Amino acid sequence: MHQIKSAQFFMEFLGSPIIGALSDIYGRKPLMLLCLTGISLSYLLWALSTNFGIFVLARFAGGISKGNISLSMAVISDVTSPKTRGKAMALVGIAFSVGFVVGPMIGAFFAWISSGNREGTWYVIPALFALFLALSDLFFVAYYLKESLATKNRATTLAKGLSGVISYINPVDLFQFNGVLNLNRKDQQDLKILGRAYFIYLFIYSGLEFTLTFLTHHTFGFTSMQQGWMFLWIGLIMATLQGGWVRHIPPNRTKIISELGLWLIIPAFICVGIATNVQVLCIGIFLFAVSTAMVVTCMMTLVTRIGPENQKGAITGIFRSLGALARACGPIVASSAFWCIGSATTYLTGALLLALPPLILRSIRTL
């Protein structure tokens, strides 16, 4: 199943920068509607899937359409000033945290009602419910969302030629942000630093996060319900912090809080790795939730402050693409390490390597 999830993230990696760049030319709303239509189609395919191949196709369609997240960041960037952007960007983090809380609860509910019927088409009901939510989102955006990017502020063209298209999907070009036009040297350097720090952080973070279910089940004997409660509390801590404190961080302290959050994830995974009782595990999980609430929102805010205003779609799309690539690869590496060299070694090694992102980010002096 994780291979399918990795493939979905890989499709997001391919789609996000192109969708973001196109939104700089044609506007945010048309591309947002296109993404939400693709997501709805993916759930429809899931509901209608009669074999594994159609289910995989549905996941691919969902992954390639996940540019809506980077588009949301671009919309927020369009309608806010640098001083108010952090407060608005926290809303994206809050939405993720709420989903982190509500999503597993919905999944557990559908697992419960279908527990007595694992034959035939039991999966149709959750698929149709997901389709209902996706269509509701589509109609809501179509009716209420106003175009945020004025015609006069739009880019006139994508990077030209075959090499220009490749620059939106080639990892080397993405790390260089070569798909963004008219970048001055300092902005490109700052974006490259942010991109590297974000990729390394998410590569290690997503891998260790993925193995939490293995650890809690095999070491502490957690049931699926207990794991659900664990993720519920993680989501509640994140939502509380992002809604109360993180969204009020002054613009001149965003980078400092990002670095603090990046340092805080190190003791979090050390506690998780060495935990021999639930109390130490809970300390690690708490630090994990606090760090996540700080890092994700603050780094998204930082990246929207850099570069031309008419290229925010491409910038946020590339940034999300690097994150999707990290999420596609990190869990594969971490899971392999977990079963080959053990949980403690995996978490402690990951914690050591997580010192790299804050050190990289520190080289940005004036953001």
Side-chain angles (χ1 to χ4, degrees):
M1 184 57 71
H2 176 65
Q3 286 83 350
I4 297 175
K5 195 69 174 177
S6 292
Q8 186 175 350
F9 278 123
F10 184 75
M11 296 305 292
E12 183 181 347
F13 153 72
L14 293 177
S16 289
I18 297 175
I19 290 170
L22 288 173
S23 77
D24 288 331
I25 300 174
Y26 300 107
R28 312 298 187 208
K29 186 171 182 177
L31 273 298
M32 180 71 81
L33 293 175
L34 180 64
C35 288
L36 294 177
T37 301
I39 292 171
S40 300
L41 177 63
S42 73
Y43 291 128
L44 178 61
L45 285 173
W46 176 22
L48 298 177
S49 60
T50 55
N51 57 63
F52 187 68
I54 297 177
F55 173 74
V56 172
L57 179 62
R59 296 297 85 205
F60 279 15
I64 201 73
S65 303
K66 283 295 182 68
N68 63 315
I69 300 173
S70 58
L71 288 177
S72 298
M73 295 166 57
V75 169
I76 290 174
S77 180
D78 292 338
V79 300
T80 57
S81 66
K83 290 184 178 180
T84 61
R85 193 162 295 159
K87 185 175 182 179
M89 202 64 68
L91 296 175
V92 179
I94 293 170
F96 273 107
S97 299
V98 172
F100 207 73
V101 172
V102 178
M105 294 172 63
I106 296 174
F109 172 74
F110 281 117
W112 173 70
I113 64 174
S114 62
S115 59
N117 178 26
R118 289 292 179 175
E119 300 291 334
T121 58
W122 61 270
Y123 57 86
V124 171
I125 295 177
L128 289 177
F129 179 75
L131 174 62
F132 166 75
L133 293 179
L135 289 174
S136 299
D137 195 16
L138 173 62
F139 292 136
F140 179 83
V141 168
Y143 187 77
Y144 286 104
L145 180 66
K146 307 295 183 183
E147 177 55 57
S148 62
L149 185 61
T151 304
K152 63 179 180 179
N153 295 331
R154 296 181 186 180
T156 57
T157 183
L158 295 174
K160 295 182 179 180
L162 179 60
S163 61
V165 175
I166 292 175
S167 69
Y168 292 110
I169 59 175
N170 179 5
V172 175
D173 285 317
L174 289 175
F175 277 105
Q176 300 294 321
F177 283 81
N178 288 336
V180 184
L181 304 176
N182 305 318
L183 270 180
N184 62 50
R185 186 173 181 179
K186 180 184 180 303
D187 283 351
Q188 185 173 29
Q189 183 62 26
D190 287 346
L191 285 172
K192 286 162 58 176
I193 292 171
L194 268 174
R196 287 198 297 267
Y198 188 63
F199 177 84
I200 295 172
Y201 163 75
L202 265 189
F203 180 87
I204 302 170
Y205 168 96
S206 64
L208 298 182
E209 177 194 36
F210 183 80
T211 61
L212 273 177
T213 53
F214 302 155
L215 176 74
T216 54
H217 177 69
H218 288 276
T219 303
F220 298 97
F222 278 21
T223 64
S224 297
M225 183 62 71
Q226 288 173 313
Q227 290 176 340
W229 280 107
M230 177 184 73
F231 287 114
L232 170 65
W233 283 109
I234 290 173
L236 287 174
I237 293 169
M238 290 167 54
T240 301
L241 285 175
Q242 289 167 333
W245 170 57
V246 175
R247 66 193 302 257
H248 294 105
I249 294 172
N252 63 338
R253 293 186 58 82
T254 305
K255 177 174 173 289
I256 296 173
I257 299 301
S258 294
E259 291 181 15
L260 178 60
L262 289 170
W263 285 117
L264 194 59
I265 197 66
I266 297 175
F269 282 129
I270 289 176
C271 288
V272 171
I274 65 173
T276 56
N277 56 65
V278 175
Q279 289 74 23
V280 176
L281 176 68
C282 287
I283 293 173
I285 294 299
F286 175 78
L287 293 175
F288 168 87
V290 173
S291 169
T292 303
M294 297 163 65
V295 172
V296 174
T297 298
C298 289
M299 292 196 77
M300 287 194 302
T301 302
L302 288 176
V303 79
T304 58
R305 293 180 183 172
I306 307 173
E309 290 300 317
N310 66 351
Q311 293 277 289
K312 294 303 183 186
I315 291 170
T316 56
I318 291 173
F319 195 67
R320 281 289 306 179
S321 178
L322 292 174
L325 182 62
R327 286 189 176 277
C329 302
I332 297 175
V333 175
S335 297
S336 301
F338 185 95
W339 296 115
C340 292
I341 63 177
S343 60
T345 303
T346 299
Y347 280 97
L348 293 178
T349 302
L352 177 64
L353 294 175
L354 279 167
L356 292 174
L359 293 175
I360 293 172
L361 188 60
R362 180 167 292 187
S363 60
I364 299 180
R365 299 296 182 185
T366 58
L367 193 59

